[in-house]
């Protein structure tokens, strides 16, 4: 089975959305194979988002993702990366369809509730960063 890495960001944890978000993945058919509440230090945040480290919003992104606890999960299922991204919705919640997690719960790209890996290679990388 394929695996992906999904993380409810600090805004989602603060707003009490972990249960609802986990339920969506379970209802879709994913199996939770690992999970934890954790807090990123700046080093982990900078490594996780290193592909964005030249962007003007990088500092704000690192501040935000380290601002409080996150709920990190390893999910297993067929085409896990693609199916999870479909449930999550577009990066900018303004573009995310109703029925997706970002479409239903977020309005701002800088606090868009949830992360999901974008490729099998990045899923493996992120799983090893958070669960080792
Ligand atoms: P995704 O999270 O959909 O994979 P990404 O990897 O391109 O999107 O970006 C990672 C995160 O960075 C994204 O979830 C929110 C933040 N971000 C992206 N573009 C942004 C922007 N223009 N302004 C502020 N934050 C942004
Ligand atoms: Mg991404």
């Amino acid at each position: 089975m394929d695996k992906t890495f999904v993380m409810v960001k600090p805004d989602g944890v603060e707003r009490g959305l972990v249960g609802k978000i986990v339920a969506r993945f379970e209802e879709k058919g994913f199996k939770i194979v690992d999970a934890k509440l954790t807090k990123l230090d700046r080093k982990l945040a900078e490594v996780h988002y290193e592909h964005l480290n030249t962007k003007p919003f990088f500092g704000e992104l690192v501040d935000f993702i380290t601002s409080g606890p996150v709920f990190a999960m390893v999910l297993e299922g067929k085409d896990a990366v693609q199916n999870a991204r479909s449930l999550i919705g577009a990066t900018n919640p303004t573009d995310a369809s109703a029925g997706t997690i970002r479409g239903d719960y977020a309005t701002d790209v800088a606090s868009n509730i949830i992360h999901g890996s974008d490729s099998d290679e990045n899923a493996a990388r992120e799983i090893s960063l958070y669960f080792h």
Side-chain angles (χ1 to χ4, degrees), residues 7 14 19 24 41 46 48 54 63 67 70 79 83 89 95 115 120 122 131:
M7 180 169 86
E14 173 65 26
R24 289 191 178 213
D41 59 22
E46 287 167 4
H48 179 141
T54 59
D63 288 346
S67 66
V70 299
D79 298 326
N83 276 310
D95 303 325
H115 166 81
D120 287 343
N122 282 331
F131 294 95

Side-chain angles (χ1 to χ4, degrees), residues 64-116:
F64 165 66
I65 207 72
T66 59
S67 66
V70 299
F71 190 74
M73 292 171 267
V74 180
L75 299 178
E76 193 175 79
K78 185 174 186 315
D79 298 326
V81 166
Q82 202 182 329
N83 276 310
R85 295 278 292 191
S86 296
L87 288 190
I88 288 168
T91 301
N92 189 334
T94 303
D95 303 325
S97 303
T100 66
I101 294 165
R102 287 170 173 164
D104 289 351
Y105 296 125
T107 58
D108 185 352
V109 67
S111 50
N112 62 4
I113 294 284
I114 185 162
H115 166 81

Side-chain angles (χ1 to χ4, degrees), residues 9 49 51-52 57 60-61 85 91 102 109-110 112 115-116:
K9 295 180 180 180
Y49 285 118
H51 61 294
L52 298 173
F57 57 84
E60 180 194 358
L61 173 61
R85 295 278 292 191
T91 301
R102 287 170 173 164
V109 67
N112 62 4
H115 166 81

